[in-house]
Amino acid sequence: GAGVSQSPRYKVAKRGQDVALRCDPISGHVSLFWYQQALGQGPEFLTYFQNEAQLDKSGLPSDRFFAERPEGSVSTLKIQRTQQEDSAVYLCASSSPGNTEAFFGQGTRLTVV
Amino acid sequence: AQSVAQPEDQVNVAEGNPLTVKCTYSVSGNPYLFWYVQYPNRGLQFLLKYITGDNLVKGSYGFEAEFNKSQTSFHLKKPSALVSDSALYFCAVRAHMDTGRRALTFGSGTRLQVQP
């Protein structure tokens, strides 16, 4: 596609529910990143994939957070047993081997009530 | 560890005046530096980057930034501000590719308000 696509754009979850957030990177981009952006803050790194391999998951805040990219393209970020502190915008970004900059999707705004 | 500081939460400037948004960074080794802009309910849009070479880099929409290694700074500048430049600006850093860590570390953002 023309850009990074994320779905859904908005998600409201009741506390304790599981959620799954989807990211379609730019075609051909091997690197994929997930970031969490709390209200009024800068994005914070969650995890990084190169193709299907998850090379860095040091930013995942707890074992309730899980990400996968099984075929090296679409990625899913799953949050189990959501808590209010998980409320944030989740941003996905991708980059190609020849580029140093990452291109971001519009994000998914998660609200846990 | 790498970090970015954006000391100003908000910068106000009159349309037509020059603008500067400040950024300082800390990283092991040579840095890759970036500026992104975020409009309401939108994702981050890439503006410009410094990788190597000329310390003054030019980017989209007339923006430029100056890399200063001795001051570990990468301030964003524009000679003449437009009302449409009003947005949230983020500075980001990552270490040189050879050191492995690919993730960006972002500053807390600076809101630019350009008054007509």
Side-chain angles (χ1 to χ4, degrees):
Chain A
V4 178
S5 177
Q6 292 186 247
S7 61
R9 287 291 314 278
Y10 304 92
K11 176 70 178 177
V12 178
K14 290 185 178 179
R15 189 166 48 187
Q17 272 186 332
D18 297 350
V19 297
L21 313 180
R22 176 187 170 106
C23 173
D24 274 280
I26 294 172
S27 178
H29 281 194
V30 301
S31 297
L32 186 145
F33 304 83
W34 284 99
Y35 291 84
Q36 180 190 58
Q37 186 177 19
L39 189 63
Q41 302 295 319
E44 293 193 356
F45 169 73
L46 294 176
T47 188
Y48 161 61
F49 290 87
Q50 186 166 324
N51 294 306
E52 69 279 2
Q54 190 174 20
L55 298 185
D56 187 349
K57 53 182 180 179
S58 62
L60 296 176
S62 77
D63 59 8
R64 296 186 296 105
F65 287 71
F66 172 76
E68 60 184 6
R69 194 186 185 197
E71 297 179 359
S73 178
V74 171
S75 177
T76 303
L77 176 67
K78 298 179 179 179
I79 309 173
Q80 297 176 324
R81 305 181 303 282
T82 52
Q83 305 294 316
Q84 279 194 313
E85 61 263 28
D86 300 335
S87 295
V89 175
Y90 290 85
L91 296 168
C92 177
S94 69
S95 66
S96 65
N99 283 330
T100 47
E101 68 269 27
F103 296 90
F104 284 78
Q106 292 185 295
T108 294
R109 182 179 297 277
L110 173 65
T111 304
V112 181
V113 297
Chain B
Q2 51 196 43
S3 65
V4 174
Q6 293 183 242
E8 303 151 316
D9 288 338
Q10 181 156 325
V11 169
N12 297 308
V13 64
E15 187 173 32
N17 283 0
L19 68 87
T20 298
V21 182
K22 296 179 180 177
C23 170
T24 59
Y25 67 90
S26 174
V27 69
S28 297
N30 294 322
Y32 287 172
L33 293 155
F34 305 83
W35 276 100
Y36 285 83
V37 60
Q38 188 173 41
Y39 295 97
N41 298 316
R42 304 279 293 276
L44 296 168
Q45 294 180 33
F46 170 75
L47 273 182
L48 51 79
K49 65 182 178 182
Y50 171 81
I51 302 302
T52 187
D54 194 350
N55 289 343
L56 184 65
V57 293
K58 295 186 182 297
S60 307
Y61 313 119
F63 284 93
E64 58 189 30
E66 186 166 12
F67 171 63
N68 187 316
K69 188 172 184 178
S70 63
Q71 297 185 4
T72 61
S73 67
F74 190 57
H75 301 330
L76 181 70
K77 300 181 180 184
K78 187 174 183 181
S80 178
L82 300 173
V83 173
S84 57
D85 293 331
S86 298
L88 192 54
Y89 290 80
F90 290 97
C91 180
V93 69
R94 56 167 276 199
H96 188 277
M97 194 175 294
D98 288 348
T99 63
R101 181 170 170 87
R102 304 294 178 93
L104 292 174
T105 297
F106 285 87
S108 56
T110 298
R111 185 165 301 281
L112 174 65
Q113 195 71 39
V114 181
Q115 283 104 19

